[in-house]
Amino acid sequence: MQESRLFKIVYHLLDKGQATAPELAEKLEVSVRTIYRDIDALSEAGIPVYAEAGRNGGIHLMKDFVLDKSLLSEEEKQEILAAVQSISVTENIDSSETLQKLSAMFHFTPENWFEVDFSRWGNKKTDNEKFELLKSAVIHRKYIKISYAGAGGEVSERTVQPLKLAYKAKAWYLKAFCMQKEDYRIFKLNRILKLEVLSGDFPYRTFPKEEEGSEGEYQQVMLRFPKEMAYRVYDEFDETQVERQENGDFIVTAEIPEGTWLISFLLSFGTQVRIISPASLKEVLAKQALFIYKINKT
């Protein structure tokens, strides 16, 4: 407890430049006598802290003490502060105290350059709470029980060992070891309908590298979009996959995961997409569109 308080005194002096003993006592919720004992302990430990009497006096730390002993360049300090700042961009992930301490240690405050919101539109509280629960479960290696909606709409109950949170293609995923399947699996966060952190913990394990980002077999497709779909084309595809035609249309060539997700993805473009190749995909998409028409025409 005392060690933590001593560090807090040093961080406060680095941040504010000086402080009075009553000010530190109130901040740390101890007596003034305890603060003076802490100052003596810091001095005995070699920390150049000193007190000045008088109207403008107080407790000081020798200027540039920490900075003189730092092995970090100015650029490296900026990178560290930016990295910590990127962690604190959601209301449920609070690293503001760490950022304040590092800013004081480096003697400058970074610009607030980064903002991330893990939630979908209109669902901020639920999505951020889910992300925070999963983050805690990954860090502390706690089993979790989830209700998961599969690609076909079926909902299954799973108990998993959460190993990593990953962001890919505008969506968050949980990489985990599934106890039911006895294998590694990837779960899309938006499809986790219910989540419960269990009391038991599991031994350390890593997600296999050969499985990283694995989402099944990929199929090369060539698609044509009208110029009015520019916003969707550049939202969904990298510019290296896009070829602009003279009339303004777009030809997209990309490798996309096979399966029901691919059909749903193409259907999301409605009548604004034409499949150039493969021919087999055109037939599957046409059949699915016809089925949708039949079940909704009455």
Side-chain angles (χ1 to χ4, degrees):
M1 183 67 180
Q2 184 192 23
E3 182 180 3
S4 174
R5 191 171 64 247
L6 294 179
F7 275 109
K8 288 180 180 179
I9 292 174
V10 173
Y11 289 136
H12 185 83
L13 293 176
L14 282 167
D15 186 31
K16 304 299 182 182
Q18 69 174 39
T20 65
E23 176 185 347
L24 290 173
E26 181 180 359
K27 179 179 178 62
L28 300 176
E29 299 181 347
V30 295
S31 67
V32 172
R33 181 176 296 180
T34 297
I35 291 298
Y36 281 123
R37 283 201 297 264
D38 289 342
I39 298 302
D40 290 338
L42 287 170
S43 296
E44 291 173 2
I47 306 298
V49 60
Y50 62 97
E52 285 185 346
R55 182 177 180 182
N56 296 320
I59 300 169
H60 303 259
L61 190 65
M62 185 176 293
K63 186 178 180 181
D64 295 338
F65 162 68
V66 176
L67 188 61
D68 288 342
K69 294 182 180 296
S70 175
L71 299 178
L72 299 172
S73 67
E74 293 299 308
E75 182 178 357
E76 288 170 332
K77 294 171 190 174
Q78 288 280 16
E79 289 177 357
I80 290 172
L81 289 173
V84 174
Q85 191 179 74
S86 70
I87 295 173
S88 62
V89 294
T90 65
E91 63 181 43
N92 287 331
I93 304 177
D94 186 11
S95 59
S96 57
E97 185 175 355
T98 303
L99 187 62
Q100 180 184 11
K101 291 176 181 178
L102 288 174
S103 298
M105 186 178 296
F106 296 157
H107 289 179
F108 57 73
T109 302
E111 293 294 328
N112 190 0
W113 66 278
F114 194 56
E115 181 176 347
V116 171
D117 188 346
F118 295 114
S119 64
R120 290 163 287 183
W121 291 107
N123 201 36
K124 185 179 182 67
K125 185 175 186 295
T126 302
D127 282 346
N128 281 346
E129 285 178 353
K130 181 193 297 181
F131 189 93
E132 179 67 10
L133 284 173
L134 288 171
K135 182 201 75 171
S136 178
V138 170
I139 292 174
H140 299 291
R141 298 203 295 273
K142 295 292 184 181
Y143 285 94
I144 61 172
K145 183 179 180 180
I146 63 174
S147 295
Y148 188 72
E154 71 285 355
V155 177
S156 60
E157 301 290 331
R158 308 281 190 97
T159 299
V160 304
Q161 298 174 348
L163 305 178
K164 181 184 294 187
L165 288 168
Y167 184 82
K168 183 177 177 63
K170 299 186 294 184
W172 281 98
Y173 296 87
L174 172 67
K175 296 184 175 183
F177 184 84
C178 178
M179 306 307 294
Q180 280 78 10
K181 301 295 184 180
E182 296 185 346
D183 200 359
Y184 295 92
R185 290 291 188 270
I186 299 177
F187 302 96
K188 193 171 185 178
L189 259 61
N190 287 347
R191 294 186 192 168
I192 298 178
L193 308 180
K194 294 181 180 179
L195 167 65
E196 179 185 357
V197 180
L198 305 179
S199 58
D201 52 7
F202 58 89
Y204 176 79
R205 72 162 83 216
T206 59
F207 202 89
K209 287 187 177 181
E210 61 270 20
E211 297 288 341
E212 289 280 350
S214 174
E215 296 168 350
E217 297 297 325
Y218 283 72
Q219 182 175 18
Q220 182 166 312
V221 299
M222 185 176 291
L223 310 170
R224 188 181 192 101
F225 298 92
K227 59 184 179 182
E228 292 79 13
M229 293 297 288
Y231 73 100
R232 278 293 305 275
V233 169
Y234 289 116
D235 276 351
E236 304 290 352
F237 303 100
D238 185 85
E239 61 180 7
T240 60
Q241 301 170 313
V242 180
E243 182 182 346
R244 190 74 180 259
Q245 305 299 294
E246 290 185 3
N247 67 347
D249 287 358
F250 300 92
I251 300 294
V252 173
T253 304
E255 289 190 348
I256 303 178
E258 292 180 346
T260 56
W261 179 88
L262 174 56
I263 303 303
S264 298
F265 174 69
L266 294 175
L267 285 172
S268 72
F269 292 97
T271 60
Q272 301 300 307
V273 60
R274 292 180 179 272
I275 299 173
I276 299 175
S277 66
S280 59
L281 183 59
K282 296 175 67 173
E283 183 178 354
V284 173
L285 186 66
K287 287 182 177 179
Q288 186 66 25
L290 180 60
F291 177 73
I292 293 173
Y293 166 75
K294 287 180 178 179
I295 65 175
N296 287 282
K297 70 176 182 177
T298 57

